[in-house]
Amino acid sequence: MTLLSTSAQAVPPPRPRRRRPLGRHGLVGWGFAAPFVVVFGLVFLAPIGYAGYLSLFQDRLIGGRSFVGVDNYRQALTDPQFWEGLTRVGLFLLVQVPIMLGIALLVALAIDSGRLYGTSFFRISVFLPYAVPAVVASLMWGYIYGTRFGLVGNINDAFGVSLPNPLSPSLVLASIGNIVTWEFVGYNMLIFYSALKVVPRSLYEAAAIDGAGEWRIIASVKLPAIRSALVIATIFSIIGSFQLFNEPSILQKLAPNAITNDLTPNLYTYSLSFSGQQHNYAATVALVMGVITAIIAYTVQLRGMRKG
């Protein structure tokens, strides 16, 4: 006991580790990261900071620019035009996003099944609309929707019928949803198909040996395996819906009575800034919209990644 206690007392306490100075390897790492950090700061952090600065001021006819604090945010939170546009976009994503992702998932499953002939051609054909710029796609579909000069008008004249006007106030949101679905089905299909390609084929074989049919394999093996891809595609689609701007902005010239300046929050912000010259309030609305989008996307991510 004496020898053990003596030897235990003789052991010196461990010395605290000293942080090594930043050496050559650390500087090399920062050198590689510096271009991204600079670009990220200039194109992301700086605009957000400048928008936050603008949102705290207001331009007045008398007195020039004056500091108003959070008055612009109070106005935005009680602005009926902003909330009507946000509600409209919320309804849009609740209907359009499930339809678009459902079609993309069905196409990805069909291609991955190996029972579809000409899979390469079919995959490229479905993905091709994503390569068309949104402006071109909106113009193309706008002329198809036209009742006086487009496909709908030609069908009415040829068959003596009266098809509903796709650019009427009651149908314009559905028409925009059709354009967005046509544009992004291929993009989401590629996400799902890429996720399906990395699923081990042994899982399918084991399920088939156990007597599972094709639908059972899809429900119990394929869909759980690509859960992360489904969540990512959903988040991207939600963010894209809240950023809806190109399609209504282009179609507004063809349907000015159906598409107003406050149809979507982004269109409302654009009209405030460039038509109404209310740059400070436009920056406030943009920041509020960004916070709402981030909260909803983060909530969907947490719920989607939760294992239940």
Side-chain angles (χ1 to χ4, degrees), residues 98-253:
I99 293 175
M100 177 181 64
L101 295 183
I103 296 173
L105 182 60
L106 289 176
V107 174
L109 291 171
I111 296 175
D112 183 69
S113 66
R115 300 180 181 181
L116 190 67
Y117 294 100
T119 55
S120 299
F121 174 78
F122 190 68
R123 184 171 64 247
I124 294 175
S125 300
V126 175
F127 181 75
L128 191 60
Y130 179 69
V132 178
V135 175
V136 177
S138 301
L139 286 173
M140 180 184 70
W141 279 98
Y143 285 110
I144 291 175
Y145 290 150
T147 56
R148 292 178 298 175
F149 46 76
L151 180 62
V152 174
N154 293 335
I155 293 176
N156 290 340
D157 295 338
F159 297 97
V161 297
S162 180
L163 296 177
N165 182 9
L167 297 179
S168 62
S170 59
L171 295 177
V172 68
L173 207 60
S175 301
I176 294 174
N178 177 61
I179 299 174
V180 176
T181 302
W182 181 81
E183 288 177 315
F184 290 98
V185 160
Y187 172 78
N188 292 288
M189 176 273 298
L190 197 63
I191 293 177
F192 299 149
Y193 179 68
S194 301
L196 287 169
K197 292 299 289 182
V198 300
V199 178
R201 296 291 167 178
S202 58
L203 297 178
Y204 306 155
E205 297 172 359
I209 293 174
D210 291 339
E214 189 66 30
W215 289 108
R216 183 66 176 175
I217 293 175
I218 291 175
S220 301
V221 179
K222 291 187 176 182
L223 293 183
I226 64 170
R227 183 176 182 176
S228 298
L230 290 170
V231 173
I232 290 173
T234 303
I235 292 173
F236 286 170
S237 300
I238 290 174
I239 295 174
S241 297
F242 280 124
Q243 292 178 344
L244 188 64
F245 175 77
N246 287 329
E247 291 79 10
S249 176
I250 298 300
L251 294 177
Q252 190 176 27
K253 303 296 182 182

